[in-house]
Amino acid sequence: MATVRPLIAGNWKMNGLSHQIAEAEAVAKGLAETPSSARVAICPPATLIDRISRELADSGVEVGGQDCHAEACGAFTGDVCAEMLADAGATLVILGHSERRAGYGETDAVVASKVEAALRAGLEPIVCVGETLEQRKAGQAVQVVQAQVRGSLPQSLKRRAFSVAYEPVWAIGTGLTPTLEDIEEVHVAVRAVLVEAFGEQGATVPILYGGSVKPSNAGEILHVKDVGGALVGGASLKASDFLGIIRAL
Ligand code: PGA
């Protein structure tokens, strides 16, 4: 079976002004000095994609968007389409993040249509799933996440590069993380759905863990069975922390 490099992606969310481009440059510099076996990506706000992707050109560090509209163009004031992200230099895009699902009512069907848009523009989707605290307490975590994976990943992903990010909603930005056993349980369950939907390809799709990943817990999380990388929010804003996570692999 072909091995797929783990992916460690930084999600800057709505953080990042011009002076923070220096953090992205510092990540690239750190990786030039000590290369990683992982693929590394930074997903800054849309306003910085063009400048950061120019700065990081040839560094090996990839640049991604954090969301895109499903349509390619039109009367959608304030929105950004996948083609615009690609045109600005992005090669990846985060889709279905829980902050989008909760704050903008994005359903699995909406996320699936955005995945189609990303593929149309040649972007590699990172599709996020994850249960709420209520769902975990009710013993529904695996069931909820498996349903999100089934509903958010269209068959057009067959033979295309993509990854899934398991991010328990209650672990995002809270400093809380599931036990390693709980992470493994969900990742193994996601893997089963990926194999069911995509056959052999599903066996190698990276399944990232996200939610309060930091340098001090990255090593143990990244070595859990079926964890193929990390989606990092807060700790990706500082190059030293993000490099600490990358080096924990
Ligand atoms: P966090 O965010 O690392 O700050 O918890 C992760 C994410 O939302 O992708």
Side-chain angles (χ1 to χ4, degrees):
M1 198 181 295
T3 48
V4 174
R5 288 171 79 195
L7 171 63
I8 300 188
N11 173 11
W12 283 15
K13 309 192 180 186
M14 199 173 73
N15 302 289
L17 299 173
S18 300
H19 68 92
Q20 279 148 305
I21 294 173
E23 296 295 328
E25 288 168 343
V27 171
K29 190 163 173 280
L31 289 171
E33 285 161 9
T34 315
S36 169
S37 56
R39 287 173 68 197
V40 175
I42 293 175
C43 304
T47 48
L48 291 185
I49 290 175
D50 178 55
R51 278 182 288 168
I52 290 185
S53 53
R54 282 173 207 270
E55 292 298 338
L56 300 188
D58 308 321
S59 72
V61 178
E62 299 169 65
V63 177
Q66 300 174 9
D67 176 44
C68 69
H69 197 280
E71 299 295 329
C73 58
F76 302 103
T77 302
D79 278 317
V80 172
C81 68
E83 284 76 1
M84 290 168 180
L85 298 176
D87 187 48
T91 55
L92 303 129
V93 62
I94 298 168
L95 295 172
H97 190 282
S98 67
E99 287 152 16
R100 305 282 326 165
R101 290 178 184 263
Y104 299 85
E106 290 191 11
T107 60
D108 291 339
V110 168
V111 177
S113 67
K114 292 184 173 198
V115 170
E116 303 277 12
L119 296 177
R120 183 186 68 218
L123 295 175
E124 179 179 331
I126 301 172
V127 182
C128 304
V129 294
E131 84 285 358
T132 63
L133 190 57
E134 293 65 37
Q135 290 164 333
R136 174 154 287 274
K137 282 185 175 159
Q140 298 167 346
V142 163
Q143 191 188 325
V144 165
V145 168
Q146 285 191 318
Q148 287 176 329
V149 173
R150 286 197 183 94
S152 307
L153 300 181
Q155 273 299 306
S156 43
L157 284 166
K158 252 204 156 108
R159 287 183 286 281
R160 303 291 296 267
F162 71 99
S163 57
V164 173
Y166 167 54
E167 300 202 300
V169 177
W170 52 273
I172 295 176
T174 58
L176 302 171
T177 51
T179 64
L180 300 180
E181 290 73 26
D182 287 343
I183 293 175
E184 178 170 337
E185 182 188 29
V186 177
H187 279 242
V188 167
V190 170
R191 175 68 69 209
V193 175
L194 290 174
V195 169
E196 174 189 293
F198 299 102
E200 212 176 297
Q201 178 191 2
T204 59
V205 168
I207 307 170
L208 319 185
Y209 169 79
S212 297
V213 177
K214 44 188 187 244
S216 59
N217 64 16
E220 53 183 20
I221 292 174
L222 288 167
H223 289 100
V224 169
K225 179 173 157 53
D226 271 322
V227 171
L231 184 55
V232 185
S236 71
L237 294 171
K238 275 211 154 53
S240 53
D241 288 343
F242 195 43
L243 285 166
I245 291 168
I246 295 163
R247 294 199 171 122
L249 190 67

